[in-house]
Amino acid sequence: MDQSAPIFGFNSAREGLVREVVDRVTESTSDPLFYLNDAAYFEIRRLESARRKKDRERYAEWQKLARTLGRMSPSERTEKLRELAKTYAWDVAGNFNPKVYGVSTRLVPGLVTGLLAPRTLATMVQNPAELLSLDALDDKVVVEGPFEQLQRLARRGTLVFVPTHLSNMDSIVFGYALERAGLPPATYGAGKNLFTNPVLSFFMHNLGAYRVDRRLRHELYKDVLKAYSCVLLEHGYHSLFFPGGTRSRSGGVERRLKLGLVGSAIEAYARTVRAGRERRVFFVPATINYLITLEAETLIADYLAETGKSRYIIEDDESSRLGRMVAFIRKLLGMEGSVVIRFGKPIDPFGNSVDEEGESHDARGRVVDPSSYVRDEQGKVVLDAARDAQYTRELGTRICADYLRETVVMSTHLVATVAFARLRKASPRPDLFTVLRQRDSVVVPRDELAAEVRELRDTLLDMEKRGEIRCGEFVRAASGGDIVERALRAFAGYHTTPVLSPREDGIAITDPKLLYYYQNRLAGHGVAWDTLGGPARTTKLDAAAPSLGGLR
Amino acid sequence: MSQVAIVGGGPWGIALARAAARTGASVIHYTRRETKESRLVELTSSLETAARAKLIVLAVPSQVAREVARGLGDHVDGSHMIVHGVRGLDPEGLQTISDIVREETPVRRLGALGGPVQAAELHHGTASAIVVGSPYPEVIRAVTSGFSGPWLRVFSTNDLRGLEWASALVGCVSLGVGFAESAGAGPGLLAALIARAMHDAGRIAALAGAEEQTIYGLGGYGDLLASIALEKRPEVVVGRVLAQGRSVAEAIAEAELRVEAIELIPRLCDFARSHGLKAPAFDGLARMLEGQPGEDILGRFFQV
């Protein structure tokens, strides 16, 4: 394993990085009074109904600050700002334990064992050999992509991985995929709430994750976070962002991205060019595809309740319930190819494709110097937040298009799409919520289902030829009936209600919501019913319009 | 001093070159036509020379925009800005010209010109107003400094797509106005037709990802009012000829210039229909092109 990536020296560099972040945030703030007021306002509002003693104390401190801000001298304000920025920066900064990394990479299967029996975690770190061998996961988890190119680019520049996001398992699964691909580990921001799960927390904390506290809504904290991410990138730390911002509630492929951290990568690139030590940034869109999703039930219920916003932080889903996690992992280990991680082709921050050597090429294949995008009319490198915001939006559109292309179709998605279309046809009214109420009312004869599955699979193979989607190994070659069987096996035994139930007269649709969840994966491709709203296939406007069902 | 390149030797290109030169900008004018020497601008027939300027304005007919952009793409990089003053959409995929430029060049900082200003006004320096649309503030700044003066006010919008769609949609509506006037619509009916057609236009543009508001601003309504005030505006001429019961071919011959709206109108109707949007005024425009008599179209317009 190449241990030259900066992350291996993270702990000794950490103090310097934090200092850089604090300096940058403090210096870039022209109006400390505004920032302090803004922070006090949001914190007082957040903490006013808090019960815990520590929170009550903080509340009192913020109130005191808000009262005295007006009387402070400008230098006192700057000092206060610096103090706060420092507290936040240290809270954000993660840890990287090369020992844990070394062990867990040979041993992410061990991690899986750890999840099965968390008390063995401690022993596992001391005695890796006792744990499950790596091979056990090899055929369960499939990792695909242009590995050699990415390995080379990892030495030439900074990689920014931007995968789709379905599950709290993603960061661990993706960490494993990086190792399998022969790539150095990536640092990433994980919601602070995840650190409360002892298992996830142990690994994330020691594998370079930094903490993002989503409860903090004020500008100062956001600036610290962005600056931290930016500084890491400038120093060449490969990074992982989930640009969807949160797990996809609907099960659909992301269509709108939260671009704050993605934007920090563009700024980081511009800063290295300006400082005369250009370090290229390569974005790597990726998809994480599950045969079944750990948290599917909670997520889809949340999506349908349209409370996604208020329950932005879900703390009581399947990933915090050990029993579900165990069941999930048993399922995962029981079926081959149940998780596929697919790395897409790298692109530069301006949406150009990148070749084997790290050179950017425009849509016509001409070589283009990426630094030209951050230069002004006189050729001077300038940092321009408004310009970068637009670059970022355009990059977001490009990443979403790549997600569709790199989506890997699994048996469950395919069968769900076909079955849900049946359900829709049988529904007395065409709106989504009526369709979702058709529980246990539709039974599809096995051979009909198999034939329709085969038909859709053939359509998907044609799409794959055109580069619009990917088919999983099994889906590509199996018969319609076998695809149905595999989906049934995957659905059975994990989800609390069976999604589809085999009966004498055929397959009964017993959980329309989950069926909807799994079919949504193909909604953006124009093959499944698209009720998700927002732009789907927007490269050309001649695509047939998705009809909006019950949802906005 | 800013430097601007104008690509395109037609009346619109010449007018833009003169307008830029008037502000004191150093102007490189790319043209393949014979043009008389000018003291104010540097003439060239090389795109490479044109690319010396970081701000490049495309003023070519829409059907050659792709080809010109591709040629230009060999000489520009990410530090260039390309702004086009081309009215029209690709009728097939309904791509805007900036979409096409993005496909053909490495340039990202793109923009478009639109609004009520007429070539003659730019040419002679009589006071008028132009609109620049770009999501990049730098592009807006560069165009403003390259073109604005006491005789030309540069308004701006960040809704590039909206401005491009506005220009194309206004072309279609102008055709209808020429038709209605000639078919005997009185001022009240004419006003109603215009307002309803612009309402459709706004909703069609929104469907294409533009901001509806842009259509009702200077780049849409403003542009329309200027268009229909012109005697010889090609779209208006086509409408007038059709109202006389003559064929589309005859109308094209009379207009002398390519009128893109003729191809675009039926495409836009399909586009609206496939998205479940009712656009009765645009359907009326389509029937007009199919040769339905004026009194039928106008008479039925407000029937429920």
Side-chain angles (χ1 to χ4, degrees):
Chain A
M1 176 68 223
D2 177 15
Q3 299 237 333
S4 63
I7 187 91
F8 291 97
F10 176 75
N11 285 359
S12 49
R14 185 166 46 182
E15 197 164 345
L17 295 171
V18 167
R19 200 180 315 120
E20 220 174 313
V21 170
V22 174
D23 287 349
R24 190 175 291 176
V25 170
T26 319
E27 280 156 24
S28 68
T29 306
S30 55
D31 188 357
L33 182 59
F34 167 80
Y35 271 71
L36 290 169
N37 262 324
D38 176 69
Y41 171 75
F42 277 100
E43 284 302 276
I44 288 170
R45 243 183 39 171
R46 177 173 78 87
L47 295 167
E48 64 193 347
S49 50
R51 296 271 170 89
R52 280 165 47 203
K53 188 162 170 276
K54 213 170 172 190
D55 285 342
R56 297 307 303 168
E57 284 166 16
R58 275 199 205 122
Y59 176 67
E61 278 171 35
W62 279 109
Q63 275 202 318
K64 191 175 150 225
L65 177 69
R67 275 198 306 273
T68 52
L69 262 179
R71 292 194 299 272
M72 283 183 178
S73 71
S75 64
E76 280 172 326
R77 285 180 195 145
T78 307
E79 210 24 65
K80 186 73 204 168
L81 189 76
R82 174 177 288 278
E83 190 189 310
L84 282 168
K86 199 170 165 182
T87 314
Y88 287 133
W90 275 111
D91 187 57
V92 168
N95 188 34
F96 183 82
N97 185 338
K99 222 171 113 190
V100 176
Y101 174 74
V103 169
S104 72
T105 51
R106 262 167 288 130
L107 225 247
V108 174
L111 156 61
V112 173
T113 336
L115 293 168
L116 287 164
R119 253 168 277 143
T120 62
L121 250 181
T123 50
M124 167 178 132
V125 176
Q126 285 154 18
N127 193 359
E130 275 180 20
L131 291 149
L132 239 131
S133 86
L134 184 66
D135 307 336
L137 261 195
D138 268 4
D139 52 350
K140 316 297 180 204
V141 180
V142 177
V143 186
E144 309 172 337
F147 300 157
E148 281 177 27
Q149 180 187 17
L150 295 177
Q151 288 159 10
R152 196 167 313 137
L153 296 184
R155 291 189 293 271
R156 300 205 170 177
T158 308
L159 299 182
V160 179
F161 299 98
V162 279
T164 54
H165 196 11
L166 281 174
S167 165
N168 280 339
M169 298 289 292
D170 285 352
S171 47
I172 298 175
V173 163
F174 201 79
Y176 169 71
L178 287 174
E179 161 65 18
R180 273 272 295 274
L183 292 166
T187 176
Y188 62 99
K192 197 173 182 174
N193 53 310
L194 293 185
F195 285 83
T196 55
N197 176 321
V199 181
L200 292 174
S201 162
F202 175 81
F203 278 93
M204 293 201 294
H205 194 66
N206 289 297
L207 295 177
Y210 52 93
R211 269 187 292 210
V212 179
D213 191 339
R214 287 182 180 146
R215 294 167 307 173
L216 303 180
R217 299 295 178 90
H218 53 80
E219 291 301 317
L220 176 59
Y221 184 72
K222 289 183 196 164
D223 279 7
V224 167
L225 206 57
K226 260 191 97 167
Y228 184 78
S229 155
C230 190
V231 167
L232 284 184
L233 288 158
E234 281 168 64
H235 287 272
Y237 289 83
H238 307 301
S239 298
L240 164 63
F241 301 137
F242 291 106
T246 172
R247 290 166 294 171
S248 166
R249 295 294 189 262
S250 63
V253 176
E254 284 87 344
R255 295 178 183 187
R256 286 209 182 80
L257 305 181
K258 299 218 167 193
L259 297 162
L261 289 178
V262 173
S264 72
I266 298 180
E267 182 188 334
Y269 172 68
R271 282 180 183 274
T272 63
V273 179
R274 193 176 66 163
R277 42 177 183 86
E278 178 183 3
R279 190 170 172 87
R280 292 205 176 168
V281 170
F282 306 113
F283 280 87
V284 186
T287 57
I288 305 175
N289 308 275
Y290 294 97
L291 193 58
I292 49 168
T293 308
L294 172 67
E295 307 98 315
E297 290 158 51
T298 310
L299 293 175
I300 194 63
D302 197 54
Y303 177 77
L304 290 172
E306 288 190 84
T307 53
K309 282 195 188 78
S310 56
R311 289 189 60 200
Y312 191 62
I313 305 169
I314 300 179
E315 295 195 338
D316 54 353
D317 62 28
E318 291 83 345
S319 67
S320 62
R321 294 201 292 274
L322 213 55
R324 296 307 306 274
M325 212 119 144
V326 171
F328 177 78
I329 289 176
R330 289 224 170 97
K331 196 88 228 173
L332 185 145
L333 288 176
M335 295 181 83
E336 289 181 6
S338 51
V339 184
V340 180
I341 297 100
R342 205 182 146 77
F343 294 96
K345 297 192 189 90
I347 47 181
D348 79 4
F350 314 101
N352 295 299
S353 52
V354 170
D355 67 15
E356 298 286 321
E357 305 304 321
E359 290 290 346
S360 298
H361 294 263
D362 75 356
R364 287 267 153 233
R366 308 179 190 101
V367 172
V368 50
D369 173 8
S371 80
S372 63
Y373 292 96
V374 294
R375 293 180 194 279
D376 68 4
E377 285 184 73
Q378 280 73 44
K380 217 177 96 203
V381 178
V382 283
L383 300 178
D384 178 341
R387 174 200 68 199
D388 291 350
Q390 181 58 24
Y391 282 146
T392 309
R393 276 192 285 274
E394 291 180 22
L395 182 64
T397 310
R398 168 69 197 257
I399 291 171
C400 286
D402 285 352
Y403 283 166
L404 292 179
R405 281 193 280 273
E406 306 294 349
T407 299
V408 180
V409 184
M410 309 258 202
S411 310
T412 45
H413 309 139
L414 214 167
V415 173
T417 300
V418 170
F420 202 71
R422 277 293 191 127
L423 197 64
R424 188 185 175 191
K425 228 180 278 169
S427 169
R429 272 184 304 148
D431 70 281
L432 178 62
F433 285 95
T434 307
V435 176
L436 288 173
R437 276 194 297 271
Q438 308 304 309
R439 182 181 286 264
D440 227 345
S441 67
V442 174
V443 178
V444 189
R446 276 172 186 271
D447 48 342
E448 284 179 30
L449 189 62
E452 283 174 34
V453 162
R454 222 196 77 153
E455 203 177 308
L456 178 57
R457 191 270 311 274
D458 292 344
T459 306
L460 291 166
L461 285 176
D462 285 341
M463 289 172 68
E464 187 178 39
K465 273 191 207 121
R466 294 195 298 269
E468 296 169 3
I469 201 166
R470 294 278 168 172
C471 289
E473 197 91 341
F474 186 85
V475 163
R476 192 173 298 140
S479 71
D482 286 349
I483 294 174
V484 173
E485 284 312 312
R486 183 168 154 91
L488 287 175
R489 238 183 91 205
F491 284 141
Y494 174 67
H495 288 306
T496 36
T497 40
V499 183
L500 296 170
S501 310
R503 302 261 169 86
E504 243 167 62
D505 50 346
I507 310 288
I509 295 170
T510 34
D511 192 338
K513 281 185 194 165
L514 279 175
L515 207 59
Y516 176 62
Y517 175 87
Y518 287 104
Q519 75 108 40
N520 280 344
R521 203 69 187 157
L522 305 182
H525 298 85
V527 292
W529 189 19
D530 185 4
T531 52
L532 304 178
R537 323 169 87 198
T538 51
T539 40
K540 292 245 169 86
L541 290 166
D542 49 7
S547 68
L548 295 183
L551 286 182
R552 307 142 284 146
Chain B
M1 189 179 66
S2 54
Q3 194 176 36
V4 184
I6 311 289
V7 174
W12 182 228
I14 294 171
L16 284 166
R18 287 183 64 125
R22 200 171 290 127
T23 67
S26 123
V27 179
I28 306 172
H29 189 186
Y30 169 88
T31 170
R32 284 188 292 197
R33 308 183 191 195
E34 291 288 318
T35 322
K36 56 178 189 237
E37 287 300 309
S38 167
R39 286 177 296 112
L40 292 170
V41 304
E42 176 188 348
L43 290 171
T44 180
S45 57
S46 142
L47 286 170
E48 191 177 359
T49 307
R52 279 210 322 261
K54 292 292 182 187
L55 174 61
I56 301 171
V57 180
L58 285 186
V60 297
S62 62
Q63 69 271 23
V64 299
R66 184 178 289 278
E67 183 196 331
V68 173
R70 189 174 299 178
L72 200 54
D74 293 336
H75 308 290
V76 293
D77 65 20
S79 64
H80 284 85
M81 296 177 255
I82 297 183
V83 172
H84 73 86
V86 183
R87 187 188 291 273
L89 299 169
D90 164 37
E92 207 160 304
L94 295 180
Q95 280 180 302
T96 66
I97 303 296
S98 65
D99 289 338
I100 291 171
V101 175
R102 203 178 192 283
E103 280 178 10
E104 300 294 342
T105 75
V107 176
R108 293 288 176 275
R109 285 176 265 195
L110 301 171
L113 300 175
V117 74
Q118 300 298 315
E121 291 169 332
L122 280 184
H123 197 93
H124 300 295
T126 46
S128 191
I130 194 169
V131 181
V132 56
S134 175
Y136 292 93
E138 305 161 87
V139 173
I140 288 170
R141 280 198 299 273
V143 169
T144 306
S145 87
F147 289 90
S148 77
W151 48 85
L152 186 65
R153 170 78 190 265
V154 179
F155 289 86
S156 68
T157 169
N158 56 17
D159 183 19
L160 167 59
R161 183 166 280 274
L163 182 62
E164 293 181 285
W165 273 76
S167 297
L169 289 161
V170 160
C172 302
V173 178
S174 310
L175 208 144
V177 173
F179 183 88
E181 270 179 332
S182 228
L189 178 56
L190 197 60
L193 290 176
I194 291 176
R196 296 310 299 166
M198 288 305 277
H199 176 80
D200 284 0
R203 299 189 59 189
I204 292 173
L207 208 54
E211 285 168 37
E212 198 169 333
Q213 212 49 45
T214 309
I215 309 302
Y216 307 140
L218 205 52
Y221 252 115
D223 187 14
L224 179 72
L225 292 177
S227 302
I228 61 180
L230 280 178
E231 264 306 294
K232 287 207 172 137
R233 174 73 183 227
E235 285 89 352
V236 179
V237 172
V238 168
R240 221 179 278 140
V241 175
L242 288 173
Q244 292 157 7
R246 289 152 71 192
S247 71
V248 173
E250 284 174 276
I252 294 171
E254 189 137 340
E256 287 171 355
L257 279 169
R258 196 181 124 94
V259 174
E260 203 148 58
I262 295 172
E263 285 172 74
L264 204 53
I265 287 168
R267 264 306 276 126
L268 291 173
C269 292
D270 288 346
F271 173 62
R273 201 173 310 119
S274 72
H275 286 72
L277 174 70
K278 288 200 175 72
F282 272 72
D283 291 338
L285 293 175
R287 287 202 300 278
M288 191 179 82
L289 290 171
E290 285 160 10
Q292 278 198 22
E295 52 272 29
D296 285 12
I297 297 173
L298 295 186
R300 279 193 202 150
F301 197 81
F302 290 103
Q303 282 178 8
V304 188

